[in-house]
Amino acid sequence: MNIFILSSRGLSSSVFWDTVFELENILVRTCNAKLLIPSGQDLLKWSSELPPLANRIVRKAIKSTTGFYKLASFPELSNKSNVLLTIGISGSDLELLSSIPKWRQRFDLVIGYVFDSWNPNIYSKNVYHLDHLFVALPEVIDELQQHFNIPVSLIPFGADVLGQGSCQVKRSIDLTSFGRIPEQYHKAFFNKFNQPGSEKIYYRSTPRNQVKFPKLPYEKRQDEEDTLLLFHILRNSKITLAFDTIYPGMRKFPYSFITLRWFYGAATGGAIVGKRPTTPLYDELLNWEDATIELPDNPQKSVELIEELLQDTQRLQSIYKRNYVESLARHDWRYRIQSMLEKVQIPLPHLLGEELLQLKMLHNKLVGN
């Protein structure tokens, strides 16, 4: 069995794609997968600098002639089963499959995993030729199956719990937010904790700017460094903020869903405080005690709640361990990879099996203590 990962890391660098590339890296290591990294056609790079209308016209011409992407080198495929997996932020990212001439004929099994999977109208037409599509929202599965007439299954998000998780007690940052947060809460926390005389630290992580068609290869960029730094900050945070995608003040989403920050926050142990997702999937995946501590709608009262929580050392330390233990048992990316492979009837690679066993042993050790 040969597994290939078709990656967008040659096309974009941003905090959104960092999460995709993190999963790809785990796949490469645990499944002995090979990365295929297309680049953009020169005309595509040029058109990206044009005004929007001109860019759309030129892109349409490029797509119908050379295609958007090119793959410099393509490995020889053996007589074994050859599997191709591509992971995208949206359905339009499945267009990357077109970088491989005759991709459907070359591979025995082609799988897609789309993070923001709603809106079937923006999917690349390549989706119709997939053997299986995985999505992170159960609410869209029936619609996508009917629209594309292919199997669609749920794979929730996860985190690298084995590599980056922690239940350490010593934490130097009181409150951390990363990603979106309603502005009224940010201002309340900043004005309370980040002023002269305050002994508390509220840290807000701000994302780097997106770079399209980065000139440097992934290994020489700061993508992976940013991911590792984020995990280190979270391991040292007593509280991590997270808000439902449909809560007022957030970017408008059509669904409530459990974004990556919930799994990152739980994996690194800190108390997750905010507005829990209203999707029923939350009650299935994050159903342990204090998985989320709900904030009041009034930001000033939320400040008071956080101050009280920071004083409750015993409760916080229980949360650190519980969040980490539950994540070890349920929410590592390796479990998601296992589910994906089992769904399409691919045998588990040896190293993946070993790391799944490591998760189980570490979980049992902590539960025993």
Side-chain angles (χ1 to χ4, degrees), residues 123-357:
Y123 276 70
S124 163
K125 288 184 170 56
N126 289 331
V127 68
Y128 291 97
H129 305 290
L130 293 180
D131 293 294
H132 212 109
L133 174 65
F134 292 99
V135 298
L137 282 79
E139 291 85 353
V140 303
I141 288 177
D142 289 343
E143 179 186 11
L144 295 178
Q145 281 188 153
Q146 293 171 12
H147 199 94
F148 300 131
N149 196 29
I150 60 170
V152 182
S153 299
L154 174 70
I155 295 290
F157 293 139
D160 183 7
V161 188
L162 183 62
Q164 302 297 332
S166 174
C167 60
Q168 67 190 49
V169 172
K170 187 176 180 181
R171 294 170 182 252
S172 54
I173 303 172
D174 297 287
L175 181 63
T176 291
S177 73
F178 66 104
R180 301 177 186 91
I181 174 175
E183 189 63 22
Q184 66 271 26
Y185 284 92
H186 165 67
K187 287 182 178 180
F189 301 142
F190 186 89
N191 292 337
K192 179 63 179 181
F193 300 124
N194 289 359
Q195 303 300 323
S198 173
E199 296 181 353
K200 303 289 191 296
I201 298 174
Y202 164 52
Y203 175 78
R204 185 180 187 181
S205 176
T206 53
R208 68 181 188 275
N209 292 329
Q210 181 180 12
V211 177
K212 292 185 178 181
F213 310 114
K215 295 180 180 179
L216 292 175
Y218 175 80
E219 294 76 15
K220 295 184 178 180
R221 305 195 309 248
Q222 66 184 83
D223 306 41
E224 190 169 18
E225 288 183 4
D226 279 3
T227 298
L228 296 176
L229 177 58
L230 174 60
F231 275 116
H232 191 56
I233 289 168
L234 294 177
R235 284 192 296 269
N236 284 277
S237 300
K238 298 172 186 176
I239 298 173
T240 299
L241 294 169
F243 288 79
D244 190 9
T245 51
I246 61 173
Y247 187 76
M250 297 290 282
R251 196 190 92 185
K252 289 187 177 180
F253 280 85
Y255 297 97
S256 167
F257 71 105
I258 311 173
T259 58
L260 280 150
R261 79 188 69 190
W262 300 88
F263 298 105
Y264 280 24
T268 48
I272 303 175
V273 175
K275 293 291 185 178
R276 66 174 59 89
T278 51
T279 170
L281 190 62
Y282 177 92
D283 296 326
E284 178 182 337
L285 298 182
L286 298 168
N287 56 357
W288 60 86
E289 182 184 355
D290 279 342
T292 301
I293 298 173
E294 198 78 357
L295 286 178
D297 290 324
N298 185 319
Q300 293 305 322
K301 290 185 178 180
S302 296
V303 169
E304 296 171 10
L305 184 148
I306 285 175
E307 287 186 307
E308 292 175 4
L309 180 59
L310 287 171
Q311 293 173 2
D312 194 342
T313 303
Q314 184 176 356
R315 184 183 182 189
L316 281 175
Q317 291 183 2
S318 296
I319 291 172
Y320 300 160
K321 182 175 181 180
R322 191 182 305 117
N323 282 357
Y324 180 48
V325 165
E326 292 287 348
S327 297
L328 283 169
R330 305 164 66 177
H331 296 317
D332 192 284
W333 272 126
R334 292 157 185 84
Y335 296 125
R336 312 300 193 238
I337 296 169
Q338 179 185 22
S339 297
M340 188 182 295
L341 297 182
E342 289 177 347
K343 193 70 177 181
V344 295
Q345 299 181 339
I346 294 177
L348 255 59
H350 175 70
L351 186 53
L352 177 60
E354 284 190 350
E355 295 195 2
L356 287 167
L357 181 59

